[in-house]
Amino acid sequence: MALQIIEKSDLAFFVQNLMDHFQLEGVQSKGQSVYGQAFFYGTIRSPAELCLDFDCTVMPPKKYFLPPQEALFRFQTGPSPACFECRPNKPLVIFGIHPYDLKAISQMDRVFAAGTPDPHYLARREATILIGIDPTHVAPRSFWASMEAAVVSSGFDLMMTDLGANYIVETGSEKGKALLGDYAKVRPATSDEVRQRVSQRSHIADMGQKRGLTFPKREIPILLQHSLTSPLWEENATKCLSCGTCNLVCPTCYCFDVWDDMELNLTQGQRLRRWDGCLLSDFARVATGENFRGTRTSRYRHRFYRKGQYLFFGILDDVACVGCGRCAAFCLPDIADPVEVFNRLKEKLN
Amino acid sequence: MKYQPLADISPYLPQWAEISRIQKLTESERLFEMHLADGEPLGHKPGQFIELSLLGIGEAPISISSPPGVENSFELAVRKVGNLTSAMHRLKVGDRVGIRGPFGTHFPVDETQGKDILFVAGGIGLVPLRSFIKFVLEHRRDYGEVTILFGARNPSEQLFLDELEDWRRRDDLRYLESVDRPDPNWTGHVGVITTLFPYIHVDPSKTYCVVVGPPVMYRFVIVEAKAKGIPDTHIFLSLERRMKCGLGKCGHCQINHLYVCQDGPVFRYSDIFDLEEAL
């Protein structure tokens, strides 16, 4: 489908329509925080709440597919124990996802579909429509351009670019096409507007180059191959608080814990999964007390290897870091920044 | 709009198994014999594990201690050590538990046919290894020389006493045992398991060494096995890790790029000897 134009004056109409027909989630501003203006994904209740010129949200949109806590099934105990499956399928539209987060979602899609598919993730994902938006601002710690995530050509249902006077929209799926046809006022883009999109996107890519890797991203797995014994791991890890914030805010961190939650009647309950983090001290501890990553250094290093090497060779064939910079922005001792770590490893290797 | 339904059976949903026999092995270990409630065989191979559920308590990975049998029952030997295993020790015959699996890789039952096998078990490492030992003894003619080394911290921690007695008496295998800390009644060998190695002779050209024990044991036993000339490709071990899903997703059991729940728990030593966090 050819590129379409939504006039800025017609955006509220589109948003209102989506609100009327779906649960609409989008980016909102929380106002100023110690980190600058804070943005978050939440339910849009009026078109004015939707913010499309954000730099980066505090949390990625992963919560929509892998909720912080969700029931895998409900059960009853007692003389006739039984399990009842929970089937998440609430239709959702998420409005305003930057390319790096779209890339992260595409990676998570592959992770959860690999091997034995995870029906919970896939059902939520299938029931969700993604409307991407190209960034207009770069967060101070972002480095998505050097992670080849400045622009994406897939992984969305609709992809919007702010051209100043209007939004130019690319359709990425039948669902996106239907959404546009049913709920938006659009017109085909002129060839001028199409050219404008190209230059706007290259401007975005330039904007994103302000900070980043000093070497090509594809070299990260090989760099790590030679960095296992680097003193950098311990040097940084001595400052690590084992708080797991880097895991929490990461759009490609998806490890989870599974536990049972009983109702007060002690006969009904649910088996839940909730986010876990490999930086937390008990992550690899077994019942006998043995902890297979018992040191902060081993846990700290593990996360970089998982992103840069294990998932690369295992499932993704890509580095599982999209350069959002959230881990860098929110790590209290400021040791989580992948740009700093990878560039310093590269320096030491040369 | 079309939504993809969940797979007919979610991989997180357990099926039911009923306990048919409980046997006290030691003060802290019990053997549970059970069968799937639908009467189907579990369909496991020696060395695999299941995720065991007690609704309201949780789920934990437990190795299967019996070989696949003619009857559809299977055995789990469980040490009382955490929430789930403590609750398990309170179960009675006829109680139902949840089972997912079997998961993971298995011992090299086919590759070792016609070869000599050196089994090395430390403590409750005997529990998973027993599935392979019993399999070999049930198909005794398919295998060459069989040697079993078993080390326990003290005599009271020896498991499966009837079977140990049987192994001591059999003339179609060599069984050597050791304890680290003897009690006054102990008349056998004293020392860590590696001190048994001088007493055995193996033909490295046709011997497989299969090791299961506590994490600390592997390094030392592997040194001894290599000293006997057994190549890395003929050494197998089963690794323990924290596991939550059994599906290669939750991340807990990861050793570098490997998931112990899928790529393990049984590994060929030559595949993991250079992995930083494996041993």
Side-chain angles (χ1 to χ4, degrees), chain A residues 22 72-73 75-77 81-89 91 111-120 122-123 126-129 175 179 228 254-260 262 271 273 276 282-288 290 292-293 298 301-302 306 309-311 313-315, chain B residues 1-16 52-59 79 81-85 96-98 100 103 124 214-216 239-259 262 274-278:
Chain A
F22 298 91
L72 294 172
F73 57 85
F75 58 78
Q76 67 183 37
T77 60
C83 297
F84 312 98
E85 205 171 327
C86 305
R87 291 172 178 256
N89 60 356
V111 163
F112 281 98
T116 306
D118 185 288
H120 295 263
L122 296 178
E126 181 64 25
T128 304
I129 296 174
K175 284 199 280 191
L179 207 66
L228 201 60
Y254 61 90
C255 288
F256 57 85
D257 192 11
V258 177
W259 63 302
D260 283 9
M262 286 296 273
R271 177 152 298 163
R273 75 164 155 203
D276 207 342
D282 280 353
F283 187 77
R285 186 200 298 272
V286 293
T288 48
E290 185 84 26
F292 293 97
R293 273 191 295 280
S298 63
R301 186 180 61 187
H302 174 76
R306 187 164 153 93
Q309 201 186 62
Y310 306 156
L311 284 169
F313 291 127
I315 300 171
Chain B
M1 205 167 296
K2 186 174 137 280
Y3 303 121
Q4 188 180 324
L6 281 174
D8 277 351
I9 298 171
S10 160
Y12 296 105
L13 274 178
Q15 50 181 327
W16 300 108
L52 188 128
S53 272
L54 296 180
L55 296 180
I57 309 285
E59 197 176 47
R79 174 179 283 182
V81 65
N83 286 344
L84 184 106
T85 50
R96 285 191 165 194
V97 299
R100 290 193 300 127
F103 294 118
I124 53 169
V216 62
L239 298 183
E240 180 189 14
R241 286 296 183 275
R242 184 179 186 135
M243 293 174 189
K244 287 293 179 177
C245 69
L247 310 172
K249 304 253 190 287
C250 80
H252 289 87
C253 70
Q254 198 169 26
I255 301 174
N256 297 23
H257 62 286
L258 300 174
Y259 288 97
Q262 304 255 302
D274 59 345
L275 295 188
E276 174 69 10
E277 293 169 350

Side-chain angles (χ1 to χ4, degrees), chain A residues 203-220:
Chain A
H203 168 65
I204 291 166
D206 290 345
M207 240 168 36
Q209 292 290 4
K210 273 181 204 152
R211 70 189 298 269
L213 297 177
T214 54
F215 60 96
K217 180 195 74 164
R218 63 175 180 278
E219 290 177 18
I220 288 176

